[in-house]
Amino acid sequence: MIRVLLADDQALIRAGFRALLQHTDDIEVIGEALDGEQAVSLAATTHADVVLMDIRMPGVDGLEATRRIADNPNLAGVRVLILTIFESDEYVYEALRSGAAGFVVKDTEPADLIQAVRIVAGGDALLSPSVTRRLIADIAARGRPGKAATDYPLDRLTDRERQVLTLVGQGQSNDEIANTLFLSPLTAKTHVSRIMTKLAARDRAQLVVIAYETGLVIAGARAQP
């Protein structure tokens, strides 16, 4: 059973998500938080697997709450799925940097939301190639500065792994990476897994952030097809 905590300051939204998720056989809503501080506290006491986290909440917002959860070793098994309206939300990139496993828009289809919770609970990042490309475009438009490559141990990567990381950052799926580099999909997946291990990345979402901040992906540059 996947244990889900809802964190949103709007009671109507929480009620809607609760009603939807409770109708599945493998998901249980184990609590509701009205703000980020309460979300962090309940994530610990309820042993939640997934926190469905709104960004804009009073007091401690979803960004800070996500950061606190990600930085707490006792909450290493808690995955944060951000609720947002992507087109207008300027905090998505910061949420991924803070440790979020991915994000969904609030008006997503019910079946897609349920699948998103399952994907994140299973340890994968919910960051589709199309959304990744839009995220990179958003980064470019806002002109966010990146960190120096020395902030991450890229020297641990082989040349091939650097190529793969670049393509992950550009939003390519494992199948697309395999086609671009003439690899099998399994080999591409293995490369991604090894890169995550070497860079101590939580998930694929964090690899996108690392690729941008180290300059492997240049904001504003055209992604490879």
Side-chain angles (χ1 to χ4, degrees), residues 25 38 45 89 99 129 171 177 191:
D25 295 331
Q38 191 176 24
T45 59
D89 202 329
I177 291 171
H191 279 308

Side-chain angles (χ1 to χ4, degrees), residues 133 136-137 139-141 166 169-170 212 215-224:
R133 294 181 182 118
I136 293 298
I139 292 170
T166 299
Q170 291 175 339
Y212 165 71
L216 288 178
V217 173
I218 304 300
R222 181 183 296 273
Q224 294 186 16

Side-chain angles (χ1 to χ4, degrees):
M1 186 69 71
I2 301 171
R3 299 167 61 83
V4 177
L5 172 65
L6 304 177
D8 196 299
D9 62 323
Q10 298 184 46
L12 186 60
I13 290 179
R14 295 197 310 274
F17 283 134
R18 173 182 282 277
L20 172 63
L21 296 174
Q22 290 285 59
H23 278 84
T24 63
D25 295 331
D26 59 338
I27 298 175
E28 177 187 10
V29 177
I30 44 81
E32 297 183 16
L34 307 183
D35 57 33
E37 185 170 5
Q38 191 176 24
V40 176
S41 176
L42 288 176
T45 59
T46 62
H47 305 289
D49 298 309
V50 177
V51 180
L52 206 54
M53 182 86 75
D54 186 29
I55 290 182
R56 293 163 177 160
M57 294 184 288
V60 176
D61 64 13
L63 278 179
E64 178 60 26
T66 298
R67 189 174 297 111
R68 293 182 186 182
I69 290 173
D71 289 345
N72 188 337
N74 294 324
L75 300 179
V78 179
R79 309 279 288 173
V80 176
L81 183 59
I82 294 291
L83 289 167
T84 184
I85 301 174
F86 181 82
E87 289 81 1
S88 62
D89 202 329
E90 63 181 300
Y91 302 114
V92 170
Y93 177 66
E94 282 77 5
L96 295 178
R97 289 194 65 225
S98 298
F103 52 90
V104 292
V105 292
K106 287 188 175 181
D107 61 351
T108 191
E109 293 295 324
D112 292 337
L113 177 64
I114 293 170
Q115 183 64 10
V117 170
R118 289 170 176 158
I119 289 172
V120 168
D124 291 326
L126 187 72
L127 197 59
S128 69
S130 62
V131 171
T132 303
R133 294 181 182 118
R134 291 168 64 188
L135 177 61
I136 293 298
D138 178 67
I139 292 170
R142 299 180 186 279
R144 292 188 179 93
K147 292 185 178 180
T150 53
D151 290 344
Y152 300 101
L154 292 187
D155 57 345
R156 298 179 184 176
L157 304 182
T158 65
D159 290 341
R160 174 63 83 187
E161 287 168 346
R162 281 176 177 257
Q163 288 180 306
V164 171
L165 177 57
T166 299
L167 296 176
V168 169
Q170 291 175 339
Q172 291 200 15
S173 66
N174 288 342
D175 286 344
E176 289 173 327
I177 291 171
N179 289 334
T180 298
L181 299 179
F182 303 102
L183 306 172
S184 71
L186 178 59
T187 299
K189 181 178 180 180
T190 299
H191 279 308
V192 172
S193 296
R194 287 176 178 169
I195 294 167
M196 288 174 56
T197 299
K198 289 183 178 182
L199 299 182
R202 290 169 58 95
D203 49 38
R204 195 183 191 95
Q206 193 172 10
L207 290 185
V208 173
V209 173
I210 292 173
Y212 165 71
E213 292 193 331
T214 56
L216 288 178
V217 173
I218 304 300
R222 181 183 296 273
Q224 294 186 16

